């Protein structure tokens, strides 16, 4: 649902340039509530994935990975309920809601959780190891998304703090968050199929 809403907003709010505006900009103005709903959906995806993986990850490394997902969910909920300010808002004019939104964005830990949880799941469980190509592929996508975004920030971050078409952060931002959503879906799907396999084995017995 997060991806569906995000994709739809590109058509609902065509005035926001996806080449340099962050996705949080969709919270500003008309239909901003849709982006808030999208952030809420993504937060719930993290929470539900923690529930799905709980039985697998009761060791220290697994708990750390799930804590990272929980922090991410908290950050997304903070972003959902505290709409951002327009991207070129002067620092002294940033609202408390805008500051909380920025804090929520900084709590995104999915890339690090993805790496840690992938290692734990593949090493400890045969079924997950049999799906390692899919799992590793999804995790690598998350890493690529993060690297592309960080690289764009390092190259184009304006010294004067003025954003515009000369600061093309928009697509890297969309890539980073979209591949994280894909990773959540891939891991959830594997967990669901593992449950199905076990249930069929019990029924056959």
């Amino acid at each position: 649902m997060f991806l569906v809403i995000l994709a739809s907003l590109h058509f609902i709010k065509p005035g926001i340039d996806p080449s340099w505006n962050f996705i949080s900009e969709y919270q500003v103005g008309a239909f901003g509530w849709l982006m808030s709903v999208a952030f809420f959906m993504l937060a719930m995806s993290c929470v539900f994935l923690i529930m799905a993986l709980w039985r697998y990850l009761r060791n220290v490394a697994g708990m750390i990975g799930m804590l990272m997902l929980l922090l991410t969910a908290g950050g997304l909920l903070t972003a959902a309920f505290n709409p951002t300010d327009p991207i070129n808002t002067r620092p002294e004019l940033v609202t408390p809601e805008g500051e909380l939104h920025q804090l929520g964005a900084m709590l995104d830990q999915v890339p690090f959780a993805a790496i840690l949880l992938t290692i734990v799941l593949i090493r400890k469980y045969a079924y997950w190891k049999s799906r390692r190509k899919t799992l590793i592929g999804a995790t690598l996508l998350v890493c690529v998304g993060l690297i592309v975004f960080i690289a764009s920030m390092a190259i184009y971050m304006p010294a004067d703090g003025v954003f515009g078409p000369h600061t093309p952060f928009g697509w890297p931002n969309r890539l980073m968050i979209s591949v994280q959503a894909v990773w959540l879906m891939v891991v959830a799907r594997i967990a669901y199929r593992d449950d199905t396999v076990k249930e069929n084995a019990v029924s056959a017995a």
Side-chain angles (χ1 to χ4, degrees):
M1 286 305 301
F2 169 81
L3 291 174
V4 168
I5 294 173
L6 178 59
S8 299
L9 282 168
H10 287 73
F11 302 97
I12 296 171
K13 303 190 71 167
I16 293 179
D17 189 341
S19 69
W20 64 274
N21 285 112
F22 291 90
I23 62 171
S24 295
E25 292 285 295
Y26 289 118
Q27 282 186 300
V28 179
F31 297 104
W33 61 272
L34 277 172
M35 193 65 236
S36 294
V37 170
F39 283 135
F40 180 82
M41 292 289 188
L42 196 57
M44 290 300 97
S45 296
C46 292
V47 172
F48 292 143
L49 187 60
I50 291 171
M51 295 169 62
L53 296 179
W54 180 256
R55 67 185 183 278
Y56 298 106
L57 301 170
R58 296 184 181 179
N59 52 36
V60 174
M63 290 292 183
I64 293 173
M66 288 194 288
L67 178 60
M68 290 177 178
L69 286 181
L70 188 61
L71 283 173
T72 301
L76 287 165
L77 288 174
T78 301
F81 291 106
N82 295 277
T84 189
D85 295 308
I87 194 169
N88 282 323
T89 301
R90 293 167 55 186
E92 64 271 19
L93 298 179
V94 172
T95 63
E97 291 80 9
E99 292 179 345
L100 284 172
H101 185 95
Q102 294 174 16
L103 174 62
M106 290 189 292
L107 292 177
D108 180 9
Q109 300 292 315
V110 170
F112 311 107
I115 295 171
L116 184 58
L117 296 181
T118 295
I119 293 172
V120 173
L121 289 167
I122 290 176
R123 290 184 63 183
K124 289 182 65 67
Y125 300 99
Y127 184 83
W128 290 84
K129 187 174 183 178
S130 71
R131 298 294 186 273
R132 63 185 179 277
K133 290 183 179 179
T134 301
L135 190 54
I136 291 174
T139 302
L140 287 176
L141 278 178
V142 172
C143 294
V144 169
L146 177 63
I147 291 170
V148 169
F149 180 71
I150 291 175
S152 69
M153 295 288 285
I155 296 170
Y156 296 109
M157 178 61 73
D160 58 2
V162 177
F163 292 82
H166 62 290
T167 55
F169 302 136
W171 289 121
N173 175 235
R174 285 159 176 75
L175 172 65
M176 180 181 69
I177 199 70
S178 296
V179 294
Q180 290 183 14
V182 169
W183 181 83
L184 291 168
M185 290 190 291
V186 167
V187 177
R189 179 63 176 172
I190 295 174
Y192 171 77
R193 291 180 65 86
D194 189 20
D195 277 343
T196 303
V197 169
K198 289 177 180 177
E199 288 175 2
N200 291 341
V202 170
S203 299

